[in-house]
Amino acid sequence: MSAVRGLVAALAVAVALVLQVTVFPHLAFEGIVPNLCLLVVVAAALTRGPQFAVVLGFLAGVALDLAPPADHVAGRWALALVVVGWLAGRMRQDVKPTATTVVATVAASSFVGTSIFAISGLVLRDPALGVPDLLRVILVAVVWDVLLTPFVLPLLMRMFHRLEPARTA
Amino acid sequence: MGPLDRLRKPSGGFGGRSRSRAGRERRWGGSGQLDDGSRPSRSLLVALVLASLTLITLDYHGGDDSPVESARRAVGEVFGPVETGTATAIRPFTAVPDWFRSRGALNEDVARLQAENSRLRSAAATEDYDRNRLREYDGLTAAADNLGYALVPARVVAMGSAQTFSDTVTIDAGSTAGIHPDMTVLNNDGLVGRVLRVTRTTATVLLIVDTDSVVGGRVGESMEVGFLHGRGEIGGDGRLDLDLVDGAEVPASHDTVVTWGSKDGAPYVSGVPVGRVTSVYSSVRESTQRAVIDPYVDFASLDLVGVVVPSGTRSDRAVIEADGSLR
C-alpha cells in the first residue's frame, strides 16, 4: 500500500509542477506564481508528519530544479522543500490542525522555503539580485500561497487523510 | 525537538498514579506514531539536506557538462510533452479575453494588422542601422546574406516563476524541429532570448531580461557597440542596461538598439531589434556610459516566437524561409 501512497503523492507533485509552470503564469503577478509544490509538501507534512514530508519535499524540490524551464543551480529547491517538509511536520502537534494553524503553517513554510531558495542564490551568486527585490518577491509569494490555501489545502489534506488507513500501524 | 523530548520524558514516568499516566499515554498516543516517526526523521532530514547540498555542489562546479545536465534532459523529456499538452489544453481559455474583445473575422483582421504593424515598426526601428550597415559593407548582397535566416515557429508552453529569480521559458519545439542550444529566439517585436538546452520536443529559452543574460548590442544611430545586461524583471517595467564600450559616446533617448551579432550567429544573429533607449547615465568611476533600454518584446505575454535556424534546416514543422515563404 505504501507504494500506492508514494505514487499518489508523486503524482500530486507532478500535477502541481505542471500547473505551476503552464497555467499560473497567465495569472501571475509580476511573474510571481503560487508555489503549488510547496503546498503539496505542507499538506503532506500536516497530515502525515515530517518523515513522509521530507522525502516528498526532496522529490518535489528535485523536480522543480530539473523540469523545464528551470535553469538555476539544481538542488536549491530540494534543500528548501526538505526544510519546509520538516518544519511543517513539526507543526503537527495536535491531532487535527485548525484552519488558522493551517494558514499560519502555509505562510511560515512559504516564507522559509522561498527565503532558503533566495539565500542559497545569494551564496552561489546565482540571481545577482538585491535584497529589497528578493524580499518583495518573497512577500508576494507568501501572499499568493496563503490566498490559494483555502482552495488547495483542504483537498490535498483530505486526499492524504484518505491514504492514511493504508499506513500499517 | 530535543528540549521537548527531555521535558516530556520525566512527565511521562513521573509518579505512580496509573490513571493519569494512562491518560497521558493515550493523549500522546495520538501523536506517538509521529514521535516514533520523528526520531529517524532527523537522520533522514540530515541525509536529504546533504543530498541537496551534494546536488548543488555537483551542478555548481560541473558547469555545462555536469552530470546534472543529463538528469535535466531526462526530466525534460518527460515533463516537456506534458507541459506542451497542458498549454494546448488551456489555450482556448487563455484566449477567452481576446475573444471577448473582438470576434470572428474582426479578430483575424486585428491579428493581421498587428503583425503588419510590428513588422513595419521593426523595419522603421532598424532603418538607421540598416542604412549604416549598407554603407559599411561592400554591397547589398553581403548584408542580405547576413540578415537572411530561416525561422522555426514555436509557442511558449511554460514560464519559470519569479520565485526562482531566473527568467526562462519552455517552447514546444525541440531537437526534432531542428533546434540546438545557442540559437537566437525572436518574435514579431524583437529579440526574445537564446536557447539554453533542448529535449526532443521542447527547448528551454533564456530571456534577455534574465540577470545572467548578456547580449552584444549596437546603437542603430551611431553604430556604437556595448553589452546589454538583463535586470531580472519581466512585465511592464522590465528593463535592460546597456554598457557602451566607448565612454565618449552618448546615445540619445529613443535610439534603437539592435543585436551586434556573434560569429556564425551563435548565440545571437546580428540586426535583430532589441529595444529603445529611455535614459542615459554616465559613470565617472567606470568611465562608461550606461543606458537604460526598454525592450520591444512584452515578456509577460510571450506566445508565438521564432527560432533562428540556418536556411535549409530539416524540421518536423513548416519553416519560414528568409524570403518569407513557408517550406
Side-chain angles (χ1 to χ4, degrees), chain B residues 279-298:
Chain B
S279 51
V280 182
Y281 303 95
S282 60
S283 153
V284 179
R285 194 162 53 101
E286 295 163 17
S287 73
T288 52
Q289 301 285 339
R290 178 178 287 261
V292 180
I293 311 295
D294 182 13
Y296 290 128
V297 174
D298 180 7

Side-chain angles (χ1 to χ4, degrees), chain B residues 89-159:
Chain B
I90 63 161
R91 194 158 288 139
F93 301 100
T94 57
V96 162
D98 287 339
W99 190 68
F100 272 113
R101 270 198 296 274
S102 52
R103 287 155 59 185
L106 225 127
N107 200 2
E108 214 166 90
D109 279 2
V110 170
R112 189 172 50 76
L113 288 173
Q114 270 174 349
E116 193 175 350
N117 196 18
S118 301
R119 194 166 48 74
L120 289 174
R121 199 183 296 138
S122 72
T126 54
E127 194 186 358
D128 291 323
Y129 174 77
D130 289 341
R131 197 179 296 137
N132 278 325
R133 196 181 173 104
L134 279 178
R135 207 180 297 140
E136 274 186 18
Y137 283 103
D138 287 333
L140 198 129
T141 39
D145 203 20
N146 270 327
L147 287 172
Y149 37 69
L151 287 178
V152 170
R155 296 195 101 130
V156 171
V157 294
M159 210 175 252

Side-chain angles (χ1 to χ4, degrees), chain B residues 1-10 35 38-39 42:
Chain B
M1 200 55 205
L4 269 179
D5 271 336
R6 241 169 279 136
L7 273 177
R8 202 177 298 156
K9 259 176 205 149
D35 276 358
S38 75
R39 207 176 301 277
R42 181 168 301 172

Side-chain angles (χ1 to χ4, degrees), chain B residues 16-31:
Chain B
R17 276 172 295 181
S18 56
R19 239 186 77 204
S20 82
R21 201 168 71 185
R24 197 175 290 278
E25 274 168 2
R26 234 197 336 271
R27 191 150 64 88
W28 287 111
S31 56

Side-chain angles (χ1 to χ4, degrees), chain B residues 214-218 225-229 240-245 260 291:
Chain B
V214 181
V215 186
R218 189 192 283 280
V225 292
F227 293 98
L228 289 154
H229 301 268
L240 303 166
D241 288 318
L242 172 68
D243 286 325
L244 285 176
V245 175
W260 170 9

Side-chain angles (χ1 to χ4, degrees), chain B residues 6-302:
Chain B
R6 241 169 279 136
L7 273 177
R8 202 177 298 156
K9 259 176 205 149
S11 67
F14 188 74
R17 276 172 295 181
S18 56
R19 239 186 77 204
S20 82
R21 201 168 71 185
R24 197 175 290 278
E25 274 168 2
R26 234 197 336 271
R27 191 150 64 88
W28 287 111
S31 56
Q33 292 163 320
L34 179 73
D35 276 358
D36 290 341
S38 75
R39 207 176 301 277
S41 113
R42 181 168 301 172
S43 52
L44 188 67
L45 172 75
V46 172
L48 288 176
V49 165
L50 286 180
S52 308
L53 292 178
T54 311
L55 198 57
I56 292 174
T57 317
L58 268 181
D59 197 25
Y60 189 65
H61 289 291
D64 278 347
D65 43 79
S66 73
V68 180
E69 278 305 307
S70 50
R72 247 186 233 284
R73 198 190 155 99
V75 174
E77 297 285 4
V78 177
F79 274 99
V82 182
E83 284 173 10
T84 307
T86 315
T88 312
I90 63 161
R91 194 158 288 139
F93 301 100
T94 57
V96 162
D98 287 339
W99 190 68
F100 272 113
R101 270 198 296 274
S102 52
R103 287 155 59 185
L106 225 127
N107 200 2
E108 214 166 90
D109 279 2
V110 170
R112 189 172 50 76
L113 288 173
Q114 270 174 349
E116 193 175 350
N117 196 18
S118 301
R119 194 166 48 74
L120 289 174
R121 199 183 296 138
S122 72
T126 54
E127 194 186 358
D128 291 323
Y129 174 77
D130 289 341
R131 197 179 296 137
N132 278 325
R133 196 181 173 104
L134 279 178
R135 207 180 297 140
E136 274 186 18
Y137 283 103
D138 287 333
L140 198 129
T141 39
D145 203 20
N146 270 327
L147 287 172
Y149 37 69
L151 287 178
V152 170
R155 296 195 101 130
V156 171
V157 294
M159 210 175 252
S161 66
Q163 285 105 309
T164 57
F165 305 107
S166 59
D167 300 302
T168 48
V169 296
T170 309
I171 56 174
D172 65 352
S175 53
T176 52
I179 293 175
H180 303 292
D182 280 342
M183 281 179 163
T184 311
V185 183
L186 41 80
N187 74 359
N188 256 346
D189 299 316
L191 183 67
V192 171
R194 67 182 161 95
V195 175
L196 278 178
R197 61 179 70 84
V198 293
T199 68
R200 271 201 305 282
T201 53
T202 61
T204 304
V205 176
L206 181 74
L207 305 181
I208 54 170
V209 286
D210 187 271
T211 48
D212 282 341
S213 162
V214 181
V215 186
R218 189 192 283 280
V219 180
E221 192 90 23
S222 62
M223 298 298 275
E224 280 301 315
V225 292
F227 293 98
L228 289 154
H229 301 268
R231 286 190 179 175
E233 290 166 7
I234 58 169
D237 52 354
R239 293 285 183 274
L240 303 166
D241 288 318
L242 172 68
D243 286 325
L244 285 176
V245 175
D246 183 356
E249 199 65 40
V250 182
S253 210
H254 298 296
D255 268 5
T256 298
V257 177
V258 299
T259 51
W260 170 9
S262 341
K263 187 174 178 288
D264 299 331
Y268 295 106
V269 295
S270 59
V272 181
V274 180
R276 164 173 81 74
V277 177
T278 55
S279 51
V280 182
Y281 303 95
S282 60
S283 153
V284 179
R285 194 162 53 101
E286 295 163 17
S287 73
T288 52
Q289 301 285 339
R290 178 178 287 261
V292 180
I293 311 295
D294 182 13
Y296 290 128
V297 174
D298 180 7
F299 291 97
S301 60
L302 273 182

